[in-house]
Amino acid sequence: MEAVLEKPTLHEQHVARESLFGFTAALAERTSDSISIQIQESQQSFTIPTKALELLSFILSSMAEGKAISLVPSDAELTTQQAADMLNVSRPHIVKLLEEGVIPFKKVGSHRRILLDDLLTYEAQQKANRKANLRFLAEQAQDLNLGYE
């Protein structure tokens, strides 16, 4: 279901950083929805979708920054701990949200499972709420002449 990559080593970060510029330049020059790639060592050629190349670009960028990467299929079911890790909150907080009905879930035996799509929907709603609240506070500060110009 999930491939969790360990945090890249300093050497891997360096290699990713060096290859990223050329890689993104090649990606920008594409003209179709697929691209042909040749592996230099084996001389093997194949065609991949551009979306896969964009994902690889994101992976290289994250590796260059020293970040660990997790790949999860969109139809995946997550445990409460995986959901908590994705949202950077505690597992008990996720359980509370589930039990309050904020995020839909199902039980498999005694374990709760959350669809990735449901978790991403919740995350997007939270982001929109934060943005609206910040906009309101900024407008209020302007209206009250609190020195934010």
Side-chain angles (χ1 to χ4, degrees):
M1 176 199 75
E2 178 176 356
V4 179
L5 305 179
E6 296 173 1
K7 190 172 179 179
T9 65
L10 290 175
H11 175 69
E12 291 168 335
Q13 289 178 41
H14 178 72
V15 170
R17 210 171 306 130
E18 284 186 348
S19 63
L20 188 58
F21 178 74
F23 190 84
T24 52
L27 188 59
E29 294 174 6
R30 73 188 189 288
T31 56
S32 67
D33 60 350
S34 62
I35 191 161
S36 294
I37 293 180
Q38 181 176 7
I39 304 296
Q40 207 169 28
E41 286 81 10
S42 66
Q43 299 299 315
Q44 187 174 9
S45 295
F46 50 92
T47 302
I48 64 170
T50 302
K51 293 250 186 235
L53 210 57
E54 290 168 356
L55 179 60
L56 184 55
S57 176
F58 174 76
I59 291 170
L60 283 172
S61 176
S62 296
M63 285 183 76
E65 295 173 12
K67 296 178 182 174
I69 300 165
S70 218
L71 299 176
V72 183
S74 62
D75 62 346
E77 292 181 352
L78 306 172
T79 65
T80 53
Q81 186 60 58
Q82 290 169 323
D85 291 344
M86 284 187 68
L87 296 181
N88 292 317
V89 298
S90 69
R91 192 189 68 76
H93 180 68
I94 290 291
V95 170
K96 182 180 131 199
L97 293 173
L98 297 177
E99 296 302 326
E100 290 175 350
V102 177
I103 302 173
F105 72 100
K106 69 178 184 179
K107 278 204 165 186
V108 177
S110 62
H111 301 285
R112 297 172 188 89
R113 295 291 183 258
I114 307 158
L115 288 175
L116 177 61
D117 287 339
D118 292 336
L119 188 67
L120 294 177
T121 298
Y122 169 77
E123 184 179 36
Q125 289 169 344
Q126 289 301 103
K127 186 176 182 179
N129 287 343
R130 278 192 303 273
K131 191 173 184 176
N133 288 337
L134 284 172
R135 186 178 307 114
F136 171 75
L137 288 173
E139 289 170 0
Q140 193 177 44
Q142 290 290 331
D143 293 343
L144 296 172
N145 247 352
L146 295 178
Y148 300 104
E149 296 181 39

